[in-house]
Amino acid sequence: MLLAIDMGNTQTGLGLFDGDALAYAWRMPTDRSFTADELHVRLLGYLHMYGLSLDCIDTVAFAGVVPQLSREWEQAARRITERTIAVGSATAQVTKLRAPNPAEVGADRIANAVAAETCYGAPAIVVDFGTATNIDVVDEDGYYIGGAIAPGLRISMDALVARAARIASIPLDVPERAIGRTTTEAVQSGAILGTAAMVEGLVARIRRELEAPEACVIATGGLAGLVANATDAFDVVDQQLTLKGIAEIARRMGMFESAE
């Protein structure tokens, strides 16, 4: 089985693939203080939840945006198997990028582009709701060509609460209307409906630039489901898109085989 690891700035997603199927998935905090030992113990715990052991893992593939934690994960992975690979320069031959500075493109964005083309076709637009809200664009030939990066929904909310003395922490719920009748509703409208409106506007502009009005729009990331309830901009909500992209890259590198 293949263990795919998506290390974000706030959360880390883990997925265990059996052939094409994502058999198990977990999420954990991204803590920069974690050592390889701590990661090893946590992974053991997740596997034991389902009666599994480290012996079931023969390949580990990961994409990370936190360099120091990537090194710790690599050490933890090599305790399990020598078949490990990180999305990036080592996998460039099996990914398609049309970017002025390919080294600047985050590994998670590369994985999203690969998964979007593989699972949903091209052209495609991926909106990833994480620490940042990333929009990744795949052209008609399946190449990642760029996108947009905006502050994530939680970052925006945290900043508002920290700077506005009269606003306490407010739950992230989709309001019934854009005109908030209370402070809570007004903040929810600005944060959630505002994020949805931003996505709608950027998706419309990107489709025009691509000259592809029917380009598939995929939402992923921890808050994808929440924002999807506030807009009809998305054709698909796929919470595991990044993990699927990591697994696909490992397959293309010949490190993992699809089910027949």
Side-chain angles (χ1 to χ4, degrees), residues 4-258:
I5 304 169
D6 170 27
M7 292 168 280
N9 283 296
T10 304
Q11 291 190 332
T12 295
L14 301 95
L16 197 59
F17 286 81
D18 185 2
D20 293 322
L22 178 58
Y24 305 96
W26 307 275
R27 298 191 75 83
M28 59 182 281
T30 298
D31 188 329
R32 288 161 174 78
S33 69
F34 282 167
T35 64
D37 293 335
E38 175 70 20
L39 297 172
H40 189 83
V41 169
R42 282 181 171 262
L43 181 56
L44 279 172
Y46 294 135
L47 292 171
H48 287 168
M49 286 170 55
Y50 296 99
L52 303 172
S53 70
L54 294 174
D55 293 338
C56 73
I57 300 171
D58 54 40
T59 305
V60 178
F62 48 90
V65 297
V66 184
Q68 66 269 36
L69 197 53
S70 295
R71 290 190 291 269
E72 297 299 324
W73 265 115
E74 185 171 5
Q75 289 182 35
R78 291 196 180 280
R79 296 180 184 179
I80 303 168
T81 175
E82 288 299 314
R83 294 171 60 84
T84 65
I85 192 163
V87 175
S89 58
T91 61
Q93 67 266 38
V94 299
T95 57
K96 298 189 290 187
L97 281 78
R98 284 179 176 149
N101 301 300
E104 292 181 356
V105 182
D108 55 340
R109 306 186 80 181
I110 295 172
N112 282 343
V114 167
E117 181 198 14
T118 301
C119 300
Y120 303 106
I125 303 166
V126 178
V127 185
D128 190 344
F129 295 96
T131 304
T133 298
N134 291 335
I135 300 181
D136 305 318
V137 182
V138 179
D139 70 10
E140 62 183 0
D141 298 319
Y143 281 80
Y144 168 89
I145 59 170
I149 301 175
L153 181 51
R154 288 194 185 279
I155 284 181
S156 298
M157 287 288 288
D158 289 345
L160 181 61
V161 170
R163 296 299 183 96
R166 294 176 63 87
I167 296 179
S169 181
I170 289 173
L172 289 177
D173 297 322
V174 179
E176 294 182 359
R177 58 185 69 87
I179 302 173
R181 306 296 185 181
T182 66
T183 298
T184 293
E185 290 180 353
V187 172
Q188 289 172 336
S189 174
I192 300 170
L193 300 187
T195 297
M198 176 193 71
V199 168
E200 291 166 356
L202 281 172
V203 164
R205 286 171 178 258
I206 290 167
R207 279 176 160 169
R208 286 198 297 271
E209 289 181 20
L210 285 175
E211 298 181 351
E214 302 302 319
C216 184
V217 182
I218 308 138
T220 192
L223 295 174
L226 175 70
V227 181
N229 288 330
T231 178
D232 59 0
F234 306 121
D235 298 301
V236 180
V237 176
D238 188 340
Q239 299 279 14
Q240 310 300 347
L241 186 76
T242 312
L243 292 176
K244 292 176 182 177
I246 295 168
E248 175 61 23
I249 290 169
R251 290 189 186 100
R252 293 181 183 182
M253 292 295 294
M255 300 188 69
F256 185 63
E257 294 184 0
S258 300

